[in-house]
Amino acid sequence: MDPLGAPSQFVDVDSLPGWTDAYEAKQLDSHQNPVEKAQVDVRSPFPYRKDINAKIILWKGDVALLNCTAIVNTSNESLTDKNPVSESIFMHAGPDLRDELQKLKGTVRRFLEIHGETLEKVVFAVSELEEATYQKLLPLYFPRSLEEEIQSLPYLPADIGNAEGEPVVPERQIRITEKPGVPDDASDEEGLEADLSFIGSHAFARMEGDVDKQRRLILQGQLSEAALQKQHQRNYNRWLCQARAEDLSDIASLKALYQTGVDNCGRTVMVVVGRNIPVTLIDMEKALLYFIHVMDHIAVKEYVLVYFHTLTNDYNQLDSNFLKKLYDVVDAKYKRNLKALYFVHPTFRSKVSAWFFTTFTVSGLKDKIHYVESLQQLFTAIPPEQIDLPPFVLEYDARENGPYYSSYPPSPDL
């Protein structure tokens, strides 16, 4: 009774009939002889246990009206599922419930076998439509006699999970090494337990690749920087493994990316020829794989990039989304060891695009970009004999800026 004398709408769990009550009454009425334990040759993985059955209640009613310690209700991963049952729970529980929700793992049966002493009762609150289904399924997991255990055995599914009732997926038990194809050191075994703690929590396992989302989680304090770095490293290793396995000869034949000499500081010079990238005609994912394949061993030490924008057109313009994806995918060593990016023969449009990209998308690159209007300016940082130039670049520069280095021979391969 509430303070005004009206009957309470809430139901006390102790007032509900137990799972075995109706069954035992039915057995007494039918005068059936119970099956002796000695007669049972094959036992169910969920054997008849009177102590567990005493904790089970099947009740047709609104779970939100139960006077109990905790409620477990199915929902989506973010616990925002909208349905009559969840709405009723939130309505009666108040706003604080959303902050306190926790999910139980495994089946109820296995949970009771392991932690049953900590619980007094478990009520399955069902609707009228669900009641018949539960009447058929509960005897499989909570048989109320040896006879019912034997009768239920043929109807159990082949896969009943592990000792805690969780599904077992063999593919998820395979450890993906940090460096595929390279034997693990003994020291790696010490960190195996820590590595496994990340399984299921990173973007790959959830089939998500949203780096921005991960960054937001960091800002919200929900994902540590160390966890993000671990996820990123594993993601990069998968790209690297694929790059080493894929046939990228068609991308290599474009001669759009190649290694040349060293700059005045002795750093490796890598050249990107924009005109040789037919963006609309090639698979850009393979282009990304080729970049990783070529650059992985270069980026382990300091290097510089020379990008020739010379005579490019709309068919050679790299999309900002692709550039952002490349920047997000590559390993931290690429960004750390890149000391300069020389943007040769830029146009006004390309300068504006680069400014927006490096200001609002990848700000870490902005201070490393140097716009180079002529080869003479480039040669102040990289000696002419240390860089292989495509013939059309030499011709364009001689036409626009004068033949300062017309005697310098272009590479015969370009």
Side-chain angles (χ1 to χ4, degrees):
M1 301 287 288
D2 69 6
L4 297 179
S8 173
Q9 61 178 327
F10 295 100
V11 179
D12 191 82
V13 172
D14 292 332
S15 68
L16 300 176
W19 170 236
T20 59
D21 293 345
Y23 178 80
E24 290 176 349
K26 182 179 177 181
Q27 291 292 99
L28 290 174
D29 292 341
S30 61
H31 304 290
Q32 294 182 1
N33 294 323
V35 178
E36 297 294 335
K37 192 169 184 178
Q39 296 176 250
V40 181
D41 296 325
V42 180
R43 297 301 303 273
S44 167
F46 304 102
Y48 163 59
R49 282 185 54 178
K50 193 172 182 179
D51 60 326
I52 288 182
N53 289 339
K55 298 175 182 290
I56 299 299
I57 297 173
L58 179 62
W59 174 66
K60 182 174 64 178
D62 186 351
V63 67
L65 300 180
L66 279 176
N67 183 12
C68 58
T69 305
I71 292 176
V72 179
N73 180 51
T74 57
S75 182
N76 55 22
E77 188 173 346
S78 58
L79 301 174
T80 57
D81 185 35
K82 300 292 185 181
N83 61 65
V85 177
S86 60
E87 290 296 320
S88 177
I89 294 172
F90 283 119
M91 181 183 69
H92 289 93
D96 292 342
L97 175 63
R98 298 183 187 274
D99 300 328
E100 299 176 3
L101 282 174
Q102 295 182 358
K103 293 187 289 184
L104 293 175
K105 298 170 64 177
T107 66
V108 176
R109 169 68 192 225
R110 292 305 193 200
F111 188 87
L112 285 174
E113 289 177 348
I114 301 172
H115 308 288
E117 71 281 356
T118 63
L119 298 175
E120 293 182 9
K121 300 286 182 182
V122 175
V123 180
F124 290 91
V126 298
S127 66
E128 186 172 355
L129 292 175
E130 296 170 327
E131 185 179 19
T133 302
Y134 275 76
Q135 289 284 4
K136 292 181 180 180
L137 289 178
L138 279 181
L140 302 184
Y141 302 96
F142 301 97
R144 293 163 290 188
S145 66
L146 288 174
E147 181 183 21
E148 193 169 59
E149 177 187 333
I150 297 171
Q151 293 173 347
S152 301
L153 190 57
Y155 301 101
L156 282 171
D159 183 6
I160 58 173
N162 59 17
E164 295 184 355
E166 298 172 326
V168 178
V169 183
E171 290 82 359
R172 295 179 183 176
Q173 296 178 307
I174 300 174
R175 182 190 177 201
I176 302 177
T177 62
E178 291 294 328
K179 297 181 179 180
V182 179
D184 288 341
D185 296 308
S187 59
D188 287 344
E189 294 299 319
E190 298 174 1
L192 177 57
E193 183 176 351
D195 288 345
L196 292 178
S197 67
F198 289 95
I199 293 177
S201 64
H202 49 71
F204 175 70
R206 296 192 309 273
M207 299 195 71
E208 294 177 3
D210 191 341
V211 177
D212 294 330
K213 180 178 179 180
Q214 294 174 346
R215 289 293 182 186
R216 285 197 300 271
L217 290 176
I218 287 180
L219 294 176
Q220 296 167 5
Q222 297 177 26
L223 188 66
S224 68
E225 183 69 29
L228 177 65
Q229 291 174 358
K230 194 75 171 180
Q231 294 175 15
H232 187 274
Q233 182 64 48
R234 289 181 173 174
N235 184 47
Y236 173 75
N237 284 341
R238 286 191 292 272
W239 278 95
L240 179 60
C241 186
Q242 184 179 352
R244 290 172 174 171
E246 191 102 9
D247 179 9
L248 303 172
S249 55
D250 54 336
I251 305 297
S253 65
L254 299 174
K255 299 188 185 304
L257 173 68
Y258 56 89
Q259 179 181 355
T260 178
V262 296
D263 68 356
N264 291 337
C265 297
R267 300 173 297 204
T268 299
V269 176
M270 296 299 298
V271 173
V272 178
V273 184
R275 191 185 182 189
N276 290 354
I277 308 175
V279 173
T280 60
L281 302 178
I282 63 174
D283 183 344
M284 292 307 293
E285 183 166 309
K286 290 185 70 175
L288 175 56
L289 289 171
Y290 182 71
F291 182 86
I292 292 173
H293 178 74
V294 172
M295 292 296 301
D296 181 69
H297 70 283
I298 298 294
V300 296
K301 57 184 181 180
E302 294 183 351
Y303 69 100
V304 298
L305 274 175
V306 177
Y307 168 64
F308 288 111
H309 192 66
T310 317
L311 298 178
T312 59
N313 55 41
D314 291 341
Y315 300 104
N316 308 123
Q317 301 294 330
L318 291 173
D319 183 79
S320 60
N321 291 330
F322 170 79
L323 292 174
K324 183 179 186 302
K325 180 178 180 180
L326 185 150
Y327 192 82
D328 288 338
V329 164
V330 296
D331 189 64
K333 63 187 178 185
Y334 287 70
K335 307 162 191 177
R336 181 178 63 252
N337 291 327
L338 173 63
K339 298 305 175 183
L341 193 164
Y342 298 103
F343 200 124
V344 183
H345 298 147
T347 62
F348 175 76
R349 176 184 172 185
S350 66
K351 284 183 178 180
V352 172
S353 298
W355 183 88
F356 273 97
F357 182 71
T358 57
T359 300
F360 300 107
T361 306
V362 288
S363 57
L365 197 60
K366 190 171 186 177
D367 294 337
K368 298 182 180 183
I369 291 185
H370 305 275
Y371 295 103
V372 180
E373 303 293 341
S374 67
L375 292 182
Q376 182 186 31
Q377 184 182 351
L378 178 66
F379 293 153
T380 61
I382 303 172
E385 65 274 10
Q386 291 294 326
I387 185 168
D388 295 328
L389 299 172
F392 74 88
V393 172
L394 274 174
E395 294 169 2
Y396 173 86
D397 191 76
R399 185 170 63 251
E400 296 294 321
N401 302 308
Y404 299 109
Y405 287 91
S406 58
S407 61
Y408 174 68
S411 170
D413 297 330
L414 300 175

